Amino acid sequence: VQSAVEYIRQHTQDHLKWTTDLCRIPSISTKPEHKEDVRRAVQWTRDLCERVGLSARVMETGGHPLVFAELCQAPGAPTYLVYGHVDVQPTGDLSLWEAGPFEPVVRDGWLICRGSSDDKGQVLLYLRAAEAWLRTEKKLPVNLKLLIEGEEEIGSPNLAPFIEKHRDLLRCDAILISDTGLLEDGLPTITCGTRGLVYKEIRLSGPRNDLHSGTHGGAVANPALMLARLLASMHDENNRVTIPGFYDQVAELTPEQRKDMAAAELDEKKYAAELGVTELWEGERGYSAAQRRSIRPTCEINGIFGGYMGEGANTIIPARAGAKVSLRLVPNQPAAEISRRFDETVRQRCPKSVRVEILTHGPAVDAYVTPPTMREMQAARQALKETFGREPAMIREGGSLPILPMFKRVLGADSLMLGFASPSCNAHGPNEKVLLADLDRGAETITRLFGYLGS
Amino acid sequence: VQSAVEYIRQHTQDHLKWTTDLCRIPSISTKPEHKEDVRRAVQWTRDLCERVGLSARVMETGGHPLVFAELCQAPGAPTYLVYGHVDVQPTGDLSLWEAGPFEPVVRDGWLICRGSSDDKGQVLLYLRAAEAWLRTEKKLPVNLKLLIEGEEEIGSPNLAPFIEKHRDLLRCDAILISDTGLLEDGLPTITCGTRGLVYKEIRLSGPRNDLHSGTHGGAVANPALMLARLLASMHDENNRVTIPGFYDQVAELTPEQRKDMAAAELDEKKYAAELGVTELWEGERGYSAAQRRSIRPTCEINGIFGGYMGEGANTIIPARAGAKVSLRLVPNQPAAEISRRFDETVRQRCPKSVRVEILTHGPAVDAYVTPPTMREMQAARQALKETFGREPAMIREGGSLPILPMFKRVLGADSLMLGFASPSCNAHGPNEKVLLADLDRGAETITRLFGYLGS
């Protein structure tokens, strides 16, 4: 393994070029006008897999295509399926970016561009490790499969049927994923679970047109006001979500999980300073910030819009107002049922003087927890410790990975999540970035992990 | 007077061309990029005044310029100051307009374009009447002054100092204004009062950047949620505004005003159908829709914005969220004090986990009521009745005219409001329009009114 690790260290510049080349492709899966860019990113990944020495092909789904690659020439060794994605989130307000989101810039050791940490930069770590083994040892110590998709950021709507259809092709002992982050800079981290997700758009409509707010104000229901009331009603005075039955099935922590959680508590002042807020939210009563963002469910407004948004004044009653709302769920909360209850609750609370339409974006995703007893967990702890020189933190992630419960259900395989993105990487926001040293440590970790898993 | 009225009837096409020429100028006073267009509209109006036979000049203010015109050659007759404006509201969403907002179209007897009813079309009625008298009788029966400004839609911020400075130039017995509407199509209407206005923009900011709503959701205050709560808190369960002391000084109606109000009640079903809503808002408990939109104060959301507003999903906690909020006030409510109380209330209710900024757009405007005993009121009722063949309705308008309390204060003159815009004119919204027959009746009414006032 040492020569493979050496190979990683000697090829950081070549590997940086892989990342910047891939990040230049604006593969925004949520935007129809970027459809061909997602395909280009998938094709680019296939080509790289082949150059590294895997057999690879682009495969079609009902939506964006994906790439499948494999090199299974280690009889008797276990088989691992690496999962990742090369699609990215929209850029948001371009004026907030220092450079173009798809023009990678390196500054002070950071690579800044959309996809640098989520997830293009991290997907490529597995190909760096595979290349290192193949160029130095001429073989891989494990059987390796890769499934790199192009619609994670829209909730992987076509992945479940694909996996069901290709169950044999994808058969494996466990899944390896790097799509998460470090708890703190320099602190190696294993993510032991993710929250579920339900994403809604509420659209209220009132009068046929925007109306003069003087002439008609007071007589006609204002959709923006009705929306504000509806959104304000989603939490009670303890900041608990008011959807009936929302907390009924929430799993309580085991003593072991409680210990891991306690070890991963946040320095709340430092965290607030990093995010640029004077103080954190009080949030759900009875829980710390670290708990509220990982093991407790939430209801967030992701966007809100209606009426006049320009400069100065326009005295109108808006004809329409809307909001994007997402629910993050925790183990045992049934996402599909909670999605239905959200719709019922919104419809019930909406006054008759406005019309309501509810859109659901992406599938309802359940939460997931990695079993603490998993064999690969021990190997990963060891590989991380050797590479970073520190004992890894075991955390629960607040974000969602729809594919984890799906892999469990269809392939019967659990997932190991090794993430290398900095807490300040600003995934999904402007100036997304990754520390190049973290990518290098990630590649070394995975190179070592392959060795442990094969021995 | 009959030959002047005949002149109006014979020149409708020439006069329509005046209106369409003026409406082609995109004189949006709220948008800096249209500054020169506002000046062009003012210059165009000066040129027309001169062609009609008045002496006219463009005069500068601290903001957009205005035009002053006069013809005072009727010794012993009273002097009237016509007030109007040739600036317009922004267009809003262009896709909602059937044709360009500044490309006037005539369809089924309606003139459709921005400014057609508010207020370019109505300003020109006075020049039609003046031309009719001058071409037929070679003189006006009254002394006439015109003050046509270019910043009404931003709350006339420079008009008060202008009027104070030019008090003598503007001296008059009363003000004549056509910037209001008909209560119903075909029903002549005198507007006896307007509501006051305070216009605010609330801006909340939280984290430095938009954040991943999974990673951070639950820990950090969401500015869009805090905004929704703040806006929802502005009314109580009876839909009364919760700013402390808001209702303390609200004037109760006199028996006479109560009678006028009762005569002007709305057919609520018909009104709802016109606006395109299933039912009206219940609104402030204890008042009819007609009352709520005219003699009762309100708090409206004019716009709301924050976070992701595009297609599909983006899972962020927005860094910022904001809203435009306007308060409509009724007689005796002190606008400046209520403006201060609004700010205090918002600051007090805003949690410390977000930062709040409050902008005030335009001045705080008091409500205004025309004295029922005013001599010009009788003349106007007679002129309207002769022209429309019906007894006019006496109504209170929900909109605001900042200049009314200002004229009263500085010039000591009361204002007579004769409006000819249809209830379906959609002023401030898309496809603003005016019925050409209403403009013709308006011109005839004013021609007759000049005759009565001079005799």
Side-chain angles (χ1 to χ4, degrees), chain A residues 89 195 199 208 214 216 218 222 229 239 271 275 292 300-301 304 306 310 312 314 324, chain B residues 89 195 199 208 214 216 218 222 229 271 275 292 300-301 304 306 310 312 314 324:
Chain A
Q89 282 272 328
R195 290 197 281 192
Y199 198 106
R208 194 177 295 118
H216 302 286
N222 182 320
R229 291 178 176 187
N239 290 316
Y271 178 50
L275 301 181
R292 293 196 309 270
E300 292 286 351
I301 304 173
I304 189 165
N314 188 5
K324 315 256 183 184
Chain B
Q89 282 272 328
R195 290 196 282 191
Y199 198 107
R208 194 176 294 116
H216 303 286
N222 182 319
R229 290 178 177 187
Y271 178 50
L275 302 181
R292 294 196 308 271
E300 291 286 350
I301 305 173
I304 189 165
N314 188 6
K324 315 255 183 184

mmCIF file of all heavy atoms in Angstrom, chain A residues 89 195 199 208 214 216 218 222 229 239 271 275 292 300-301 304 306 310 312 314 324, chain B residues 89 195 199 208 214 216 218 222 229 271 275 292 300-301 304 306 310 312 314 324:
data_model
loop_
_atom_site.group_PDB
_atom_site.id
_atom_site.type_symbol
_atom_site.label_atom_id
_atom_site.label_comp_id
_atom_site.label_asym_id
_atom_site.label_seq_id
_atom_site.Cartn_x
_atom_site.Cartn_y
_atom_site.Cartn_z
ATOM 1 N N GLN A 89 -25.933 21.580 -8.062
ATOM 2 C CA GLN A 89 -27.028 22.505 -7.771
ATOM 3 C C GLN A 89 -26.955 23.731 -8.678
ATOM 4 O O GLN A 89 -25.893 24.040 -9.214
ATOM 5 C CB GLN A 89 -26.895 22.986 -6.311
ATOM 6 C CG GLN A 89 -27.365 21.972 -5.286
ATOM 7 C CD GLN A 89 -28.853 22.087 -4.987
ATOM 8 O OE1 GLN A 89 -29.424 23.165 -5.036
ATOM 9 N NE2 GLN A 89 -29.481 20.964 -4.713
ATOM 10 N N ARG A 195 -30.454 12.608 7.165
ATOM 11 C CA ARG A 195 -31.879 12.868 7.361
ATOM 12 C C ARG A 195 -32.653 12.607 6.070
ATOM 13 O O ARG A 195 -32.094 12.618 4.976
ATOM 14 C CB ARG A 195 -32.076 14.320 7.801
ATOM 15 C CG ARG A 195 -31.554 14.559 9.208
ATOM 16 C CD ARG A 195 -32.095 15.832 9.826
ATOM 17 N NE ARG A 195 -31.397 17.015 9.347
ATOM 18 C CZ ARG A 195 -31.517 18.222 9.903
ATOM 19 N NH1 ARG A 195 -32.337 18.395 10.936
ATOM 20 N NH2 ARG A 195 -30.858 19.258 9.428
ATOM 21 N N TYR A 199 -39.728 17.766 -0.193
ATOM 22 C CA TYR A 199 -39.574 19.141 -0.712
ATOM 23 C C TYR A 199 -40.860 19.563 -1.412
ATOM 24 O O TYR A 199 -41.317 18.911 -2.346
ATOM 25 C CB TYR A 199 -38.403 19.198 -1.685
ATOM 26 C CG TYR A 199 -37.875 20.612 -1.945
ATOM 27 C CD1 TYR A 199 -36.671 21.030 -1.397
ATOM 28 C CD2 TYR A 199 -38.583 21.519 -2.735
ATOM 29 C CE1 TYR A 199 -36.165 22.304 -1.627
ATOM 30 C CE2 TYR A 199 -38.097 22.803 -2.962
ATOM 31 C CZ TYR A 199 -36.881 23.187 -2.411
ATOM 32 O OH TYR A 199 -36.386 24.456 -2.641
ATOM 33 N N ARG A 208 -57.281 37.816 -10.045
ATOM 34 C CA ARG A 208 -56.809 37.475 -11.391
ATOM 35 C C ARG A 208 -55.513 38.204 -11.722
ATOM 36 O O ARG A 208 -54.597 37.637 -12.306
ATOM 37 C CB ARG A 208 -57.908 37.844 -12.387
ATOM 38 C CG ARG A 208 -57.750 37.281 -13.770
ATOM 39 C CD ARG A 208 -58.939 37.670 -14.639
ATOM 40 N NE ARG A 208 -60.188 37.072 -14.166
ATOM 41 C CZ ARG A 208 -61.252 37.747 -13.746
ATOM 42 N NH1 ARG A 208 -61.225 39.068 -13.722
ATOM 43 N NH2 ARG A 208 -62.334 37.130 -13.336
ATOM 44 N N GLY A 214 -54.449 50.310 -2.637
ATOM 45 C CA GLY A 214 -55.281 51.331 -2.014
ATOM 46 C C GLY A 214 -56.736 51.089 -2.343
ATOM 47 O O GLY A 214 -57.586 50.959 -1.459
ATOM 48 N N HIS A 216 -58.286 48.458 -3.392
ATOM 49 C CA HIS A 216 -58.885 47.183 -3.008
ATOM 50 C C HIS A 216 -58.408 46.658 -1.650
ATOM 51 O O HIS A 216 -58.943 45.667 -1.154
ATOM 52 C CB HIS A 216 -58.600 46.145 -4.087
ATOM 53 C CG HIS A 216 -59.110 46.536 -5.442
ATOM 54 N ND1 HIS A 216 -60.441 46.510 -5.755
ATOM 55 C CD2 HIS A 216 -58.469 47.012 -6.544
ATOM 56 C CE1 HIS A 216 -60.609 46.939 -7.011
ATOM 57 N NE2 HIS A 216 -59.425 47.253 -7.502
ATOM 58 N N GLY A 218 -57.958 45.623 1.942
ATOM 59 C CA GLY A 218 -58.908 45.453 3.033
ATOM 60 C C GLY A 218 -60.077 44.577 2.624
ATOM 61 O O GLY A 218 -60.634 43.845 3.434
ATOM 62 N N ASN A 222 -55.071 38.920 0.635
ATOM 63 C CA ASN A 222 -53.743 39.143 0.059
ATOM 64 C C ASN A 222 -52.972 37.816 0.108
ATOM 65 O O ASN A 222 -52.663 37.316 1.192
ATOM 66 C CB ASN A 222 -53.049 40.226 0.891
ATOM 67 C CG ASN A 222 -51.675 40.578 0.374
ATOM 68 O OD1 ASN A 222 -50.911 39.710 -0.042
ATOM 69 N ND2 ASN A 222 -51.369 41.857 0.409
ATOM 70 N N ARG A 229 -48.951 33.728 6.958
ATOM 71 C CA ARG A 229 -49.654 33.089 8.075
ATOM 72 C C ARG A 229 -49.503 31.574 8.034
ATOM 73 O O ARG A 229 -49.299 30.925 9.056
ATOM 74 C CB ARG A 229 -51.142 33.445 8.012
ATOM 75 C CG ARG A 229 -51.404 34.893 8.322
ATOM 76 C CD ARG A 229 -52.880 35.188 8.194
ATOM 77 N NE ARG A 229 -53.146 36.566 8.590
ATOM 78 C CZ ARG A 229 -54.362 37.082 8.707
ATOM 79 N NH1 ARG A 229 -55.432 36.333 8.465
ATOM 80 N NH2 ARG A 229 -54.522 38.327 9.070
ATOM 81 N N ASN A 239 -41.021 26.009 18.720
ATOM 82 C CA ASN A 239 -40.368 25.754 17.429
ATOM 83 C C ASN A 239 -40.446 24.292 17.022
ATOM 84 O O ASN A 239 -39.561 23.777 16.333
ATOM 85 C CB ASN A 239 -38.917 26.245 17.440
ATOM 86 C CG ASN A 239 -38.848 27.754 17.470
ATOM 87 O OD1 ASN A 239 -39.578 28.427 16.741
ATOM 88 N ND2 ASN A 239 -38.009 28.293 18.338
ATOM 89 N N TYR A 271 -19.212 28.297 15.610
ATOM 90 C CA TYR A 271 -20.103 27.920 14.505
ATOM 91 C C TYR A 271 -20.890 29.144 14.028
ATOM 92 O O TYR A 271 -20.972 29.422 12.824
ATOM 93 C CB TYR A 271 -21.025 26.807 15.007
ATOM 94 C CG TYR A 271 -22.060 26.302 14.036
ATOM 95 C CD1 TYR A 271 -21.729 25.916 12.730
ATOM 96 C CD2 TYR A 271 -23.394 26.169 14.429
ATOM 97 C CE1 TYR A 271 -22.696 25.429 11.864
ATOM 98 C CE2 TYR A 271 -24.361 25.678 13.571
ATOM 99 C CZ TYR A 271 -24.013 25.311 12.289
ATOM 100 O OH TYR A 271 -24.967 24.834 11.433
ATOM 101 N N LEU A 275 -20.709 31.078 10.242
ATOM 102 C CA LEU A 275 -21.853 31.294 9.356
ATOM 103 C C LEU A 275 -22.177 32.777 9.200
ATOM 104 O O LEU A 275 -22.954 33.153 8.327
ATOM 105 C CB LEU A 275 -23.088 30.570 9.912
ATOM 106 C CG LEU A 275 -22.945 29.069 10.099
ATOM 107 C CD1 LEU A 275 -24.253 28.494 10.631
ATOM 108 C CD2 LEU A 275 -22.568 28.384 8.790
ATOM 109 N N ARG A 292 -30.134 19.606 16.771
ATOM 110 C CA ARG A 292 -31.233 20.124 15.937
ATOM 111 C C ARG A 292 -30.919 19.988 14.451
ATOM 112 O O ARG A 292 -31.808 19.819 13.640
ATOM 113 C CB ARG A 292 -31.500 21.604 16.259
ATOM 114 C CG ARG A 292 -32.047 21.834 17.659
ATOM 115 C CD ARG A 292 -32.650 23.221 17.806
ATOM 116 N NE ARG A 292 -31.777 24.295 17.365
ATOM 117 C CZ ARG A 292 -30.898 24.940 18.125
ATOM 118 N NH1 ARG A 292 -30.767 24.624 19.400
ATOM 119 N NH2 ARG A 292 -30.166 25.909 17.623
ATOM 120 N N GLU A 300 -38.073 23.865 6.877
ATOM 121 C CA GLU A 300 -37.377 25.082 6.464
ATOM 122 C C GLU A 300 -38.052 25.718 5.255
ATOM 123 O O GLU A 300 -38.537 25.008 4.379
ATOM 124 C CB GLU A 300 -35.925 24.758 6.056
ATOM 125 C CG GLU A 300 -35.017 24.329 7.171
ATOM 126 C CD GLU A 300 -34.579 25.469 8.094
ATOM 127 O OE1 GLU A 300 -34.851 26.644 7.780
ATOM 128 O OE2 GLU A 300 -33.970 25.151 9.129
ATOM 129 N N ILE A 301 -38.007 27.045 5.197
ATOM 130 C CA ILE A 301 -38.411 27.756 3.982
ATOM 131 C C ILE A 301 -37.154 27.959 3.142
ATOM 132 O O ILE A 301 -36.188 28.566 3.600
ATOM 133 C CB ILE A 301 -39.042 29.119 4.318
ATOM 134 C CG1 ILE A 301 -40.225 28.934 5.268
ATOM 135 C CG2 ILE A 301 -39.479 29.832 3.034
ATOM 136 C CD1 ILE A 301 -40.815 30.242 5.785
ATOM 137 N N ILE A 304 -39.092 32.199 -0.955
ATOM 138 C CA ILE A 304 -40.407 32.807 -0.789
ATOM 139 C C ILE A 304 -40.515 33.930 -1.810
ATOM 140 O O ILE A 304 -39.530 34.631 -2.059
ATOM 141 C CB ILE A 304 -40.596 33.291 0.668
ATOM 142 C CG1 ILE A 304 -42.025 33.731 0.936
ATOM 143 C CG2 ILE A 304 -39.605 34.384 1.044
ATOM 144 C CD1 ILE A 304 -42.331 33.868 2.427
ATOM 145 N N GLY A 306 -43.392 36.645 -4.269
ATOM 146 C CA GLY A 306 -44.723 37.128 -4.617
ATOM 147 C C GLY A 306 -44.738 38.637 -4.723
ATOM 148 O O GLY A 306 -44.043 39.320 -3.973
ATOM 149 N N GLY A 310 -38.957 44.606 -6.931
ATOM 150 C CA GLY A 310 -37.971 45.526 -7.489
ATOM 151 C C GLY A 310 -37.606 46.635 -6.521
ATOM 152 O O GLY A 310 -37.929 46.596 -5.333
ATOM 153 N N GLY A 312 -37.651 50.322 -4.800
ATOM 154 C CA GLY A 312 -38.679 51.311 -4.465
ATOM 155 C C GLY A 312 -40.025 50.687 -4.160
ATOM 156 O O GLY A 312 -40.097 49.563 -3.644
ATOM 157 N N ASN A 314 -44.163 49.721 -5.089
ATOM 158 C CA ASN A 314 -45.258 49.460 -6.022
ATOM 159 C C ASN A 314 -46.408 49.004 -5.145
ATOM 160 O O ASN A 314 -46.287 48.013 -4.425
ATOM 161 C CB ASN A 314 -44.855 48.386 -7.039
ATOM 162 C CG ASN A 314 -45.886 48.207 -8.156
ATOM 163 O OD1 ASN A 314 -46.869 48.953 -8.239
ATOM 164 N ND2 ASN A 314 -45.678 47.236 -9.011
ATOM 165 N N LYS A 324 -41.014 27.751 -1.326
ATOM 166 C CA LYS A 324 -40.421 26.414 -1.357
ATOM 167 C C LYS A 324 -40.180 26.019 0.092
ATOM 168 O O LYS A 324 -39.593 26.812 0.853
ATOM 169 C CB LYS A 324 -39.095 26.437 -2.102
ATOM 170 C CG LYS A 324 -39.134 27.218 -3.415
ATOM 171 C CD LYS A 324 -39.169 26.321 -4.605
ATOM 172 C CE LYS A 324 -39.125 27.151 -5.887
ATOM 173 N NZ LYS A 324 -39.259 26.324 -7.085
ATOM 174 N N GLN B 89 -46.586 54.057 -12.756
ATOM 175 C CA GLN B 89 -46.044 52.938 -11.981
ATOM 176 C C GLN B 89 -45.188 52.027 -12.877
ATOM 177 O O GLN B 89 -45.335 52.053 -14.096
ATOM 178 C CB GLN B 89 -47.214 52.091 -11.439
ATOM 179 C CG GLN B 89 -47.900 52.694 -10.233
ATOM 180 C CD GLN B 89 -47.239 52.283 -8.926
ATOM 181 O OE1 GLN B 89 -46.711 51.194 -8.790
ATOM 182 N NE2 GLN B 89 -47.250 53.178 -7.961
ATOM 183 N N ARG B 195 -57.308 57.703 1.527
ATOM 184 C CA ARG B 195 -56.586 57.180 2.692
ATOM 185 C C ARG B 195 -55.144 57.674 2.691
ATOM 186 O O ARG B 195 -54.604 58.047 1.646
ATOM 187 C CB ARG B 195 -56.620 55.645 2.679
ATOM 188 C CG ARG B 195 -58.008 55.108 2.979
ATOM 189 C CD ARG B 195 -57.989 53.640 3.359
ATOM 190 N NE ARG B 195 -57.849 52.760 2.219
ATOM 191 C CZ ARG B 195 -58.018 51.445 2.272
ATOM 192 N NH1 ARG B 195 -58.336 50.850 3.418
ATOM 193 N NH2 ARG B 195 -57.884 50.697 1.194
ATOM 194 N N TYR B 199 -45.264 53.468 3.468
ATOM 195 C CA TYR B 199 -44.757 52.333 2.679
ATOM 196 C C TYR B 199 -43.374 51.935 3.200
ATOM 197 O O TYR B 199 -42.457 52.746 3.234
ATOM 198 C CB TYR B 199 -44.664 52.713 1.201
ATOM 199 C CG TYR B 199 -44.572 51.529 0.255
ATOM 200 C CD1 TYR B 199 -45.654 51.170 -0.542
ATOM 201 C CD2 TYR B 199 -43.409 50.773 0.141
ATOM 202 C CE1 TYR B 199 -45.587 50.096 -1.431
ATOM 203 C CE2 TYR B 199 -43.329 49.695 -0.728
ATOM 204 C CZ TYR B 199 -44.424 49.370 -1.521
ATOM 205 O OH TYR B 199 -44.357 48.304 -2.396
ATOM 206 N N ARG B 208 -24.185 34.696 6.420
ATOM 207 C CA ARG B 208 -23.444 35.478 5.416
ATOM 208 C C ARG B 208 -23.847 35.053 4.009
ATOM 209 O O ARG B 208 -24.015 35.891 3.125
ATOM 210 C CB ARG B 208 -21.946 35.230 5.642
ATOM 211 C CG ARG B 208 -21.027 36.185 4.933
ATOM 212 C CD ARG B 208 -19.581 35.897 5.299
ATOM 213 N NE ARG B 208 -19.290 36.167 6.700
ATOM 214 C CZ ARG B 208 -18.926 35.264 7.608
ATOM 215 N NH1 ARG B 208 -18.791 33.996 7.265
ATOM 216 N NH2 ARG B 208 -18.679 35.611 8.847
ATOM 217 N N GLY B 214 -29.916 21.169 4.676
ATOM 218 C CA GLY B 214 -29.774 19.908 5.392
ATOM 219 C C GLY B 214 -28.681 20.030 6.445
ATOM 220 O O GLY B 214 -28.897 19.772 7.626
ATOM 221 N N HIS B 216 -27.319 22.600 7.845
ATOM 222 C CA HIS B 216 -27.465 23.617 8.885
ATOM 223 C C HIS B 216 -28.900 23.796 9.389
ATOM 224 O O HIS B 216 -29.126 24.525 10.354
ATOM 225 C CB HIS B 216 -26.927 24.951 8.368
ATOM 226 C CG HIS B 216 -25.494 24.886 7.929
ATOM 227 N ND1 HIS B 216 -24.455 24.811 8.824
ATOM 228 C CD2 HIS B 216 -24.926 24.820 6.697
ATOM 229 C CE1 HIS B 216 -23.300 24.724 8.156
ATOM 230 N NE2 HIS B 216 -23.573 24.727 6.867
ATOM 231 N N GLY B 218 -32.154 23.830 11.260
ATOM 232 C CA GLY B 218 -32.490 23.547 12.649
ATOM 233 C C GLY B 218 -31.603 24.322 13.600
ATOM 234 O O GLY B 218 -32.022 24.693 14.692
ATOM 235 N N ASN B 222 -33.805 30.956 10.117
ATOM 236 C CA ASN B 222 -34.104 31.097 8.701
ATOM 237 C C ASN B 222 -34.788 32.449 8.486
ATOM 238 O O ASN B 222 -35.902 32.663 8.972
ATOM 239 C CB ASN B 222 -35.017 29.940 8.292
ATOM 240 C CG ASN B 222 -35.360 29.938 6.823
ATOM 241 O OD1 ASN B 222 -35.609 30.978 6.234
ATOM 242 N ND2 ASN B 222 -35.370 28.755 6.246
ATOM 243 N N ARG B 229 -43.199 34.975 10.139
ATOM 244 C CA ARG B 229 -43.757 35.160 11.480
ATOM 245 C C ARG B 229 -44.033 36.638 11.763
ATOM 246 O O ARG B 229 -45.069 36.994 12.322
ATOM 247 C CB ARG B 229 -42.780 34.629 12.522
ATOM 248 C CG ARG B 229 -42.678 33.128 12.499
ATOM 249 C CD ARG B 229 -41.661 32.666 13.523
ATOM 250 N NE ARG B 229 -41.610 31.220 13.548
ATOM 251 C CZ ARG B 229 -40.918 30.517 14.433
ATOM 252 N NH1 ARG B 229 -40.203 31.137 15.367
ATOM 253 N NH2 ARG B 229 -40.924 29.209 14.405
ATOM 254 N N TYR B 271 -68.437 42.059 -7.229
ATOM 255 C CA TYR B 271 -67.084 42.596 -7.015
ATOM 256 C C TYR B 271 -66.058 41.459 -7.001
ATOM 257 O O TYR B 271 -65.017 41.520 -7.671
ATOM 258 C CB TYR B 271 -67.088 43.380 -5.707
ATOM 259 C CG TYR B 271 -65.777 43.989 -5.270
ATOM 260 C CD1 TYR B 271 -64.997 44.756 -6.127
ATOM 261 C CD2 TYR B 271 -65.324 43.822 -3.952
ATOM 262 C CE1 TYR B 271 -63.809 45.327 -5.694
ATOM 263 C CE2 TYR B 271 -64.142 44.395 -3.514
ATOM 264 C CZ TYR B 271 -63.381 45.139 -4.395
ATOM 265 O OH TYR B 271 -62.214 45.699 -3.967
ATOM 266 N N LEU B 275 -62.886 40.708 -9.742
ATOM 267 C CA LEU B 275 -61.475 40.576 -9.361
ATOM 268 C C LEU B 275 -60.940 39.172 -9.619
ATOM 269 O O LEU B 275 -59.734 38.944 -9.569
ATOM 270 C CB LEU B 275 -61.292 40.929 -7.882
ATOM 271 C CG LEU B 275 -61.733 42.321 -7.458
ATOM 272 C CD1 LEU B 275 -61.478 42.528 -5.983
ATOM 273 C CD2 LEU B 275 -61.013 43.399 -8.269
ATOM 274 N N ARG B 292 -64.146 48.411 4.500
ATOM 275 C CA ARG B 292 -62.762 47.993 4.756
ATOM 276 C C ARG B 292 -61.792 48.590 3.750
ATOM 277 O O ARG B 292 -60.638 48.841 4.065
ATOM 278 C CB ARG B 292 -62.647 46.463 4.725
ATOM 279 C CG ARG B 292 -63.399 45.772 5.847
ATOM 280 C CD ARG B 292 -62.948 44.327 6.023
ATOM 281 N NE ARG B 292 -62.963 43.558 4.795
ATOM 282 C CZ ARG B 292 -63.992 42.863 4.328
ATOM 283 N NH1 ARG B 292 -65.142 42.833 4.995
ATOM 284 N NH2 ARG B 292 -63.882 42.181 3.204
ATOM 285 N N GLU B 300 -50.987 45.941 4.258
ATOM 286 C CA GLU B 300 -50.907 45.007 3.135
ATOM 287 C C GLU B 300 -49.456 44.642 2.839
ATOM 288 O O GLU B 300 -48.568 45.488 2.953
ATOM 289 C CB GLU B 300 -51.480 45.642 1.854
ATOM 290 C CG GLU B 300 -52.974 45.872 1.850
ATOM 291 C CD GLU B 300 -53.798 44.607 1.683
ATOM 292 O OE1 GLU B 300 -53.223 43.536 1.374
ATOM 293 O OE2 GLU B 300 -55.018 44.705 1.885
ATOM 294 N N ILE B 301 -49.249 43.399 2.415
ATOM 295 C CA ILE B 301 -47.947 42.999 1.870
ATOM 296 C C ILE B 301 -47.990 43.234 0.361
ATOM 297 O O ILE B 301 -48.835 42.665 -0.322
ATOM 298 C CB ILE B 301 -47.635 41.526 2.171
ATOM 299 C CG1 ILE B 301 -47.721 41.260 3.675
ATOM 300 C CG2 ILE B 301 -46.260 41.148 1.619
ATOM 301 C CD1 ILE B 301 -47.599 39.790 4.038
ATOM 302 N N ILE B 304 -42.987 40.069 -1.521
ATOM 303 C CA ILE B 304 -42.247 39.248 -0.552
ATOM 304 C C ILE B 304 -41.208 38.458 -1.334
ATOM 305 O O ILE B 304 -41.481 38.012 -2.448
ATOM 306 C CB ILE B 304 -43.219 38.356 0.242
ATOM 307 C CG1 ILE B 304 -42.518 37.653 1.400
ATOM 308 C CG2 ILE B 304 -43.939 37.357 -0.649
ATOM 309 C CD1 ILE B 304 -43.489 37.056 2.404
ATOM 310 N N GLY B 306 -37.157 36.153 -1.151
ATOM 311 C CA GLY B 306 -36.020 35.608 -0.412
ATOM 312 C C GLY B 306 -35.708 34.202 -0.876
ATOM 313 O O GLY B 306 -36.614 33.443 -1.222
ATOM 314 N N GLY B 310 -36.502 29.992 -8.334
ATOM 315 C CA GLY B 310 -36.514 29.421 -9.685
ATOM 316 C C GLY B 310 -37.331 28.145 -9.766
ATOM 317 O O GLY B 310 -38.101 27.805 -8.871
ATOM 318 N N GLY B 312 -38.150 24.141 -9.840
ATOM 319 C CA GLY B 312 -37.670 22.971 -9.115
ATOM 320 C C GLY B 312 -37.199 23.289 -7.707
ATOM 321 O O GLY B 312 -37.704 24.205 -7.065
ATOM 322 N N ASN B 314 -34.145 23.874 -4.661
ATOM 323 C CA ASN B 314 -32.791 24.226 -4.222
ATOM 324 C C ASN B 314 -32.880 24.262 -2.705
ATOM 325 O O ASN B 314 -33.662 25.033 -2.143
ATOM 326 C CB ASN B 314 -32.375 25.585 -4.808
ATOM 327 C CG ASN B 314 -30.905 25.916 -4.556
ATOM 328 O OD1 ASN B 314 -30.152 25.090 -4.038
ATOM 329 N ND2 ASN B 314 -30.498 27.108 -4.905
ATOM 330 N N LYS B 324 -42.178 44.120 1.079
ATOM 331 C CA LYS B 324 -42.693 45.481 0.965
ATOM 332 C C LYS B 324 -44.047 45.484 1.655
ATOM 333 O O LYS B 324 -44.881 44.606 1.381
ATOM 334 C CB LYS B 324 -42.884 45.857 -0.503
ATOM 335 C CG LYS B 324 -41.707 45.472 -1.400
ATOM 336 C CD LYS B 324 -40.878 46.656 -1.777
ATOM 337 C CE LYS B 324 -39.759 46.234 -2.723
ATOM 338 N NZ LYS B 324 -38.870 47.335 -3.055
#
